[in-house]
Amino acid sequence: MEFRCLTASLADPGALLEVWEGDTLAVGLFSDPDHPARTQVESLVGAGLSELLERRRFKGKPGESVSLQRLEARPGTVILVGLGEPAGFDGNALRTATASIARAAAAAGSRSLALALPVEGLEPGTATAAMAEAVRLSLYADHRFRSEPDPQSVPELVTLLGLPEGSEAALRSIDGLCAGVELARQLVAAPPNVATPAALADAAASIAADYGLELKVLERSDCEALGMGAYLAVAQGSDLPPKFIHLTYRPAAETRRRVALVGKGLTFDSGGYNLKVAGSQIEMMKYDMGGSAAVLGAMRAIAQIRPEGVEVHAIVASCENMISGGAMHPGAILTASNGKTIEINNTDAEGRLTLADALVYASKLEPDAIVDLATLTGACVIALGEEIAGLWSCSDGLAEALLAAGRAGGESYWRMPLRSSYKEGLKSAFADLKNTGPRPGGSITAALFLQDFVPKDLPWAHLDIAGTVWSDKGRGLDPAGATGFGVRTLVNWIRAGSAA
Ligand code: BES
Ligand code: MN
Ligand code: ZN
């Protein structure tokens, strides 16, 4: 899929058809029937458009779309999508409208698509990138696990209309960014018998080999030597060996800033002996490596985009949480690699155990900031639902920077409190702390648990993406299934360069 920008716009349809020869033109229409875009489309497709839109009950609301097929005319397909009120039309609305255009164009078998959407209120580069991302990511399809893939056609050439000269620069990083999101989606969607800890290590090895990154994979014995008792206790019930992945991107010239990305990489979470019961979505727990997928996807993007001045470390303590004679006991007391002891009162709170040792390892690299991403708690899904991820941070600067990076990429976060009094809930009678607190505020005590494994003065943020990694029905520019959530936030944050 190729993208380009043109300054030509629908304001002069004659001139537009001289420079653009594609088969499908898509136009966004606000709900106001007197808005100039309606007259402009009418002059292109002929009088009678308003009656036709009325018959099709098109009011210009978000989510509405009408496709016109014109056998003898050029362009042969005209797609009209509703944009709602101009006041509510922001970057996210632009993404959603673009995604519905892309789907309609694919359904119409379009080969060359042009989009005429209002971008006046937005910075041209931001608007250009948002539209290109939305077309590519909404048309992503994954047929790896079917014996006969559904044939699907996507446009070869996508032209963005009415953009100022120079907007094309914003297209340069689209391929890298989208490939990163797609990798994350593929890793999350792959079933647990395919996306094993070894497969995650292989994915990291491919990125390293393709883009010249540095990769270290620590085996069980290496992790034992480092004293990673929390991580290894989770891994010990599985027949699959754990893989501790450390992938590094170094900039070509000097390093001004070093960041560490830590991802939860449970390729399957059965719950262990405090087993997940029916209704707890045990069959979906292949997506419990969503944090690691976001981190590897971001590395894939960063490796291609090659930002200057920043060194990026991706760290994933990958394993499965399973049941066997060797599995961790409820009641066990473990020692993490920073020497802290942990009483296991629930083996299903395993993610934080793997992250504890991963965070200790990341801290030793002395980064300017650490961001971890994890499908950590069902409680976060209850609190924020499936469209918003939780964000916890001890640093206001880092929290603001991540919120802004998320907004720029169309990913939503809500900052949650690291209320220290709730640490009471993690007090253990036998060890330094327990791995779970009471049910109320469960996503907060989980974040407080992690905080114990990061030095106080190191800017750190924890993103709980349990609700956002997967979408059963699809939403916005995410097709049904794995969303690749987190990649765009991480890449935008790293590129924006605000470490603290
Ligand atoms: N992977 C789960 C969290 C999860 C639940 C993600 C549902 C996505 C959807 C995590 O390992 C877990 O089991 N957490 C427990 C913690 C509890 C035992 C304190 C939970 O949320 O129930
Ligand atoms: Mn669990
Ligand atoms: Zn889990």
Side-chain angles (χ1 to χ4, degrees), residues 11-49:
D12 187 348
L16 172 61
L17 292 186
E18 266 171 41
V19 294
W20 174 76
E21 299 188 328
D23 54 62
T24 306
L25 174 66
V27 184
L29 297 177
F30 287 117
S31 42
D32 174 8
D34 298 324
H35 204 271
R38 297 228 183 182
T39 338
Q40 291 165 1
V41 190
E42 195 142 47
S43 77
L44 189 93
V45 302
L49 178 71

Side-chain angles (χ1 to χ4, degrees), residues 299-371:
M299 289 306 274
R300 161 76 181 73
I302 291 294
Q304 186 175 335
I305 297 168
R306 300 206 66 82
E308 285 171 17
V310 59
E311 186 177 296
V312 188
H313 296 264
I315 292 146
V316 177
S318 179
C319 65
E320 293 186 306
N321 187 21
M322 300 295 274
I323 285 170
S324 76
M328 145 173 84
H329 306 80
I333 295 179
L334 318 170
T335 307
S337 46
N338 64 347
K340 292 216 170 150
T341 58
I342 306 162
E343 180 199 353
I344 303 306
N345 58 342
N346 195 325
T347 62
D348 198 9
E350 83 300 335
R352 60 195 78 182
L353 299 172
T354 65
L355 289 170
D357 282 324
L359 288 168
V360 170
Y361 181 96
S363 303
K364 286 191 206 149
L365 302 168
E366 298 186 338
D368 298 299
I370 302 180
V371 179

Side-chain angles (χ1 to χ4, degrees), residues 58-151:
F58 179 91
K59 298 225 164 29
K61 288 192 199 146
E64 289 176 348
S65 109
V66 163
S67 295
L68 312 175
Q69 300 296 339
R70 307 153 77 230
L71 288 178
E72 303 283 335
R74 191 171 74 83
T77 305
V78 175
I79 298 168
L80 304 171
V81 297
L83 306 177
E85 300 292 333
F89 193 70
D90 57 6
N92 268 339
L94 178 64
R95 282 197 170 79
T96 312
T98 305
S100 53
I101 287 171
R103 291 192 192 102
S110 153
R111 309 304 312 154
S112 173
L113 164 71
L115 288 88
L117 286 163
V119 294
E120 294 79 34
L122 298 158
E123 195 271 309
T126 311
T128 302
M131 288 189 281
E133 270 167 42
V135 172
R136 169 132 168 211
L137 293 177
S138 62
L139 294 182
Y140 164 89
D142 181 0
H143 301 299
R144 288 172 300 162
F145 303 103
R146 295 196 192 281
S147 56
E148 286 179 47
D150 271 347

Side-chain angles (χ1 to χ4, degrees), residues 6-271:
L6 285 182
T7 52
S9 77
L10 204 58
D12 187 348
L16 172 61
L17 292 186
E18 266 171 41
V19 294
W20 174 76
E21 299 188 328
D23 54 62
T24 306
L25 174 66
V27 184
L29 297 177
F30 287 117
S31 42
D32 174 8
D34 298 324
H35 204 271
R38 297 228 183 182
T39 338
Q40 291 165 1
V41 190
E42 195 142 47
S43 77
L44 189 93
V45 302
L49 178 71
S50 343
E51 291 75 23
L52 183 130
L53 290 181
E54 208 160 300
R55 265 184 283 130
R56 299 266 203 108
R57 295 210 174 77
F58 179 91
K59 298 225 164 29
K61 288 192 199 146
E64 289 176 348
S65 109
V66 163
S67 295
L68 312 175
Q69 300 296 339
R70 307 153 77 230
L71 288 178
E72 303 283 335
R74 191 171 74 83
T77 305
V78 175
I79 298 168
L80 304 171
V81 297
L83 306 177
E85 300 292 333
F89 193 70
D90 57 6
N92 268 339
L94 178 64
R95 282 197 170 79
T96 312
T98 305
S100 53
I101 287 171
R103 291 192 192 102
S110 153
R111 309 304 312 154
S112 173
L113 164 71
L115 288 88
L117 286 163
V119 294
E120 294 79 34
L122 298 158
E123 195 271 309
T126 311
T128 302
M131 288 189 281
E133 270 167 42
V135 172
R136 169 132 168 211
L137 293 177
S138 62
L139 294 182
Y140 164 89
D142 181 0
H143 301 299
R144 288 172 300 162
F145 303 103
R146 295 196 192 281
S147 56
E148 286 179 47
D150 271 347
Q152 94 142 357
S153 78
V154 300
E156 278 155 21
L157 180 62
V158 178
T159 309
L160 309 173
L161 301 175
L163 288 161
E165 215 70 65
S167 303
E168 226 135 44
L171 294 173
R172 244 176 271 141
S173 52
I174 294 301
D175 182 60
L177 181 66
C178 293
V181 176
E182 289 163 356
L183 172 62
R185 287 176 176 177
Q186 285 182 355
L187 291 173
V188 170
N193 54 327
V194 172
T196 57
L200 289 186
D202 287 347
S206 300
I207 301 170
D210 292 350
Y211 296 96
L213 269 49
E214 209 174 291
L215 175 67
K216 235 194 305 186
V217 178
L218 309 188
E219 304 297 335
R220 194 193 307 267
S221 56
D222 303 316
C223 297
E224 273 164 6
L226 291 169
M228 296 187 178
Y231 164 47
L232 291 177
V234 178
Q236 77 193 26
S238 168
D239 288 342
L240 304 180
K243 300 283 174 184
F244 188 102
I245 301 161
H246 177 188
L247 182 63
T248 309
Y249 163 79
R250 289 183 212 282
E254 24 116 57
T255 295
R256 293 189 294 275
R257 186 162 77 98
R258 182 182 301 133
V259 302
L261 311 176
V262 176
K264 171 171 171 180
L266 264 290
T267 61
F268 188 70
D269 176 13
S270 72

Side-chain angles (χ1 to χ4, degrees), residues 447-482:
L448 288 166
F449 179 93
L450 298 180
Q451 193 179 26
D452 254 24
F453 298 88
V454 185
K456 286 275 169 290
D457 52 352
L458 206 169
W460 156 77
H462 159 59
L463 309 177
D464 193 332
I465 60 171
T468 56
V469 282
W470 191 268
S471 172
D472 277 333
K473 296 202 189 94
R475 169 191 335 116
L477 43 100
D478 296 323

